[in-house]
Amino acid sequence: MNFCMQTDMDSYLMPSPLQTSSCQGSCSSVTVANSDDAKPSTSDMDTKSSKESVPGIHNYEKWAKEKVDNVNNSIMKEDEAPTLSEKMSKRNDSRKRTSEPADGCGGDMIESDDPPCKKCALLSGSSFTDDSIHMPESSGLTVSQLIDHVQTVKKKGLLAEYAQIQLESHAGTFNHSRARRNLPKNRYTDVLCYDHSRVKLAAGVSSSSDYINANFVDGYRQKNAYISTQGPLPKTFVDFWRMVWQYQCQVIVMTTRTIERQRMKCGQYWPGDKQADEQFEEFVIHNSSVTSFHNYLETKLILHNTSIGESREIKHLQFISWPDHGVPPAASFLDFLFHVRCVQEVTTKNLGTSWTGNPLGPPIVVHCSAGIGRTGTFITIDICLRRLDDIGTISIPATIQGIRSQRAFSIQTPDQYVFCYLGIIEHAIRTGLVRNMDPLVLDSCESDNE
């Protein structure tokens, strides 16, 4: 998939793009560049004493209110056109399924320099009954309706959607995150985890604390499909590995580098060199191999629990192509997401009868730096594509609202929100759900990533 960087977001979101052309899925272009429009600052810095915050999070409410008010005054006149919510409701009532589920993939994953198993990501939630907040619903948009929606509401409308989500109140309390004894374990003072969905740790060799800054997040038709967490701090490395061991996690998804723009984004909680070992209290982590792909790294780790004398294989998948500002090319991101699903499928199969939960496997650990921005983006697109494959519709706002009810502030910036639309449209082009359309070009709001 080839991409070209563009700089004019408005040119993409004007009323007349997406005209018929001979471009096929293999030559589609959905990309995001940077601008300064409507950006609450969200820089992300590591902390040494749990006194840092993610600048901008608590400025979102003012920004969001202004954005909603501006859009209500400028997108359309009330006496001439329906509101955005009315248009969405009307489309939901008339939705139609536009695609058949794509084929999944079978067999073992082959390590190579090319992304393997590109179709593996299209597995549905299976017939397993699980009490997830993301289940098949009658509301939502088909792919063609989604594209029409983007064309209709343009840039202002998408930003208004995100601003409206930002205005919604919190879904729970943060008492454990705010407890004095737990404050040093939070990378950022204003990125806390809900009490009702927090991951609880069993007592360790040298600690009885059950706290880690992490939340369970449901997937599509899969309860607790993900563990959404912050990038580990040196003081929480052992807690991180206790969590991975306790919940039988087989796959760790890391969507940031440890250092970006001379700032620490995440601690080096695993041995980066081949055949190297690191020990964090009762856990010894051995780096068995590292496979480099174009946009990500796959590291095979052996996690050994010295307290019981048992070992497990863990796959660490690190996406390294998220730029310092903005979001990555949609195709690169999708290649990574599909690979994650393939690895999860293979590792779950290898568990055999030792895993009796959802057929899609144990929770996938997903983190960036704060565990809300890139992490929330990854989870949102994964859920939406699974739903699209299952019932042929998507609801990005509803999906994000569900995720944010379990991990506060998920989807941290406007460009991450817009990127969720781009990722789904790019997937539709690549898989043939949409044909004969001009390349989609979108210039998003510049932001610092977390």
Side-chain angles (χ1 to χ4, degrees):
M1 198 69 60
N2 296 322
F3 291 85
C4 56
M5 295 303 294
Q6 301 291 334
T7 57
D8 185 6
M9 182 176 185
D10 291 313
S11 67
Y12 164 58
L13 291 171
M14 293 302 286
S16 60
L18 304 181
Q19 297 176 349
T20 301
S21 75
S22 59
C23 180
Q24 300 299 316
S26 61
C27 65
S28 66
S29 177
V30 181
T31 187
V32 179
N34 300 321
S35 84
D36 295 324
D37 186 30
K39 176 188 75 70
S41 174
T42 55
S43 65
D44 180 12
M45 294 184 287
D46 193 27
T47 71
K48 294 183 179 180
S49 60
S50 188
K51 295 182 180 180
E52 299 286 355
S53 64
V54 178
I57 283 185
H58 298 298
N59 293 329
Y60 276 148
E61 184 172 343
K62 179 180 178 181
W63 171 86
K65 185 177 186 305
E66 291 176 351
K67 182 59 62 177
V68 170
D69 291 343
N70 290 340
V71 169
N72 288 339
N73 292 331
S74 64
I75 287 185
M76 57 188 71
K77 296 180 180 179
E78 293 184 359
D79 57 348
E80 294 180 355
T83 65
L84 179 60
S85 61
E86 289 172 341
K87 294 180 68 176
M88 291 286 290
S89 176
K90 183 177 181 180
R91 287 186 181 131
N92 293 343
D93 293 339
S94 62
R95 71 174 182 87
K96 296 181 180 178
R97 181 167 179 160
T98 60
S99 63
E100 294 297 326
D103 294 333
C105 76
D108 294 335
M109 181 186 64
I110 300 175
E111 294 186 346
S112 70
D113 290 333
D114 296 319
C117 251
K118 287 188 177 181
K119 292 184 179 180
C120 185
L122 306 181
L123 300 175
S124 69
S126 82
S127 59
F128 186 86
T129 301
D130 212 344
D131 187 23
S132 169
I133 62 175
H134 303 284
M135 298 295 286
E137 298 178 355
S138 59
S139 61
L141 304 176
T142 64
V143 169
S144 59
Q145 290 172 335
L146 184 91
I147 294 173
D148 176 63
H149 170 64
V150 172
Q151 287 181 278
T152 302
V153 304
K154 311 184 201 39
K155 172 184 174 181
K156 289 182 179 180
L158 295 180
L159 294 180
E161 284 181 10
Y162 175 71
Q164 192 65 54
I165 292 173
Q166 289 293 105
L167 287 177
E168 295 177 0
S169 60
H170 296 307
T173 59
F174 305 96
N175 296 331
H176 285 87
S177 285
R178 287 172 171 159
R180 183 180 297 273
R181 65 184 180 277
N182 294 328
L183 288 177
K185 295 186 177 183
N186 298 323
R187 177 173 286 275
Y188 303 100
T189 58
D190 51 0
V191 180
L192 309 176
C193 58
Y194 284 132
D195 295 320
H196 68 268
S197 58
R198 75 182 182 95
V199 176
K200 298 179 182 179
L201 301 179
V205 172
S206 61
S207 175
S208 60
S209 173
D210 70 353
Y211 179 77
I212 186 171
N213 191 308
N215 292 96
F216 285 111
V217 174
D218 291 354
Y220 180 68
R221 298 177 64 183
Q222 182 184 7
K223 188 173 182 61
N224 296 347
Y226 319 93
I227 290 177
S228 180
T229 186
Q230 67 181 16
L233 295 160
K235 67 187 71 172
T236 67
F237 285 175
V238 66
D239 295 331
F240 181 85
W241 288 114
R242 285 168 60 196
M243 177 180 71
V244 170
W245 184 273
Q246 180 178 338
Y247 292 99
Q248 295 182 260
C249 303
Q250 305 290 301
V251 176
I252 299 170
V253 173
M254 180 175 179
T255 58
T256 182
R257 295 177 182 265
T258 55
I259 298 175
E260 293 180 351
R261 287 176 289 157
Q262 293 76 52
R263 293 187 297 179
M264 183 66 68
K265 308 290 279 187
C266 176
Q268 184 71 40
Y269 59 88
W270 77 102
D273 298 329
K274 296 179 183 179
Q275 304 307 314
D277 294 332
E278 292 280 353
Q279 182 164 4
F280 307 111
E281 296 188 10
E282 70 264 39
F283 295 106
V284 176
I285 299 91
H286 173 74
N287 184 329
S288 178
S289 66
V290 179
T291 304
S292 297
F293 297 91
H294 185 62
N295 297 295
Y296 53 92
L297 302 174
E298 177 182 314
T299 304
K300 182 188 297 183
L301 301 174
I302 305 301
L303 176 61
H304 181 67
N305 188 332
T306 62
S307 64
I308 58 176
E310 294 182 5
S311 298
R312 296 175 186 168
E313 183 177 291
I314 308 295
K315 291 294 182 69
H316 185 274
L317 302 170
Q318 182 184 13
F319 188 65
I320 57 176
S321 292
W322 207 299
D324 289 345
H325 294 274
V327 292
S332 300
F333 177 87
L334 290 174
D335 286 342
F336 176 69
L337 186 149
F338 291 1
H339 185 75
V340 169
R341 289 197 192 176
C342 285
V343 173
Q344 173 77 350
E345 181 183 1
V346 172
T347 57
T348 299
K349 184 185 299 183
N350 292 340
L351 287 175
T353 57
S354 66
W355 174 252
T356 59
N358 190 291
L360 293 178
I364 297 176
V365 177
V366 188
H367 77 83
C368 42
S369 186
I372 55 177
R374 305 185 204 191
T375 295
T377 304
F378 178 92
I379 293 174
T380 297
I381 294 178
D382 190 36
I383 292 173
C384 286
L385 291 186
R386 288 191 184 276
R387 170 173 164 164
L388 178 65
D389 181 51
D390 189 36
I391 63 174
T393 64
I394 319 103
S395 178
I396 292 175
T399 299
I400 292 174
Q401 287 166 340
I403 295 171
R404 289 169 71 96
S405 73
Q406 296 179 308
R407 179 70 174 175
F409 297 115
S410 292
I411 303 294
Q412 188 184 350
T413 63
D415 59 325
Q416 290 167 356
Y417 181 81
V418 174
F419 181 70
C420 293
Y421 280 90
L422 292 182
I424 292 167
I425 294 172
E426 172 66 16
H427 167 77
I429 296 171
R430 295 173 64 169
T431 57
L433 296 177
V434 176
R435 299 179 183 274
N436 300 323
M437 59 182 292
D438 285 337
L440 300 177
V441 180
L442 184 61
D443 176 36
S444 104
C445 316
E446 181 182 349
S447 71
D448 290 333
N449 289 305
E450 61 80 14

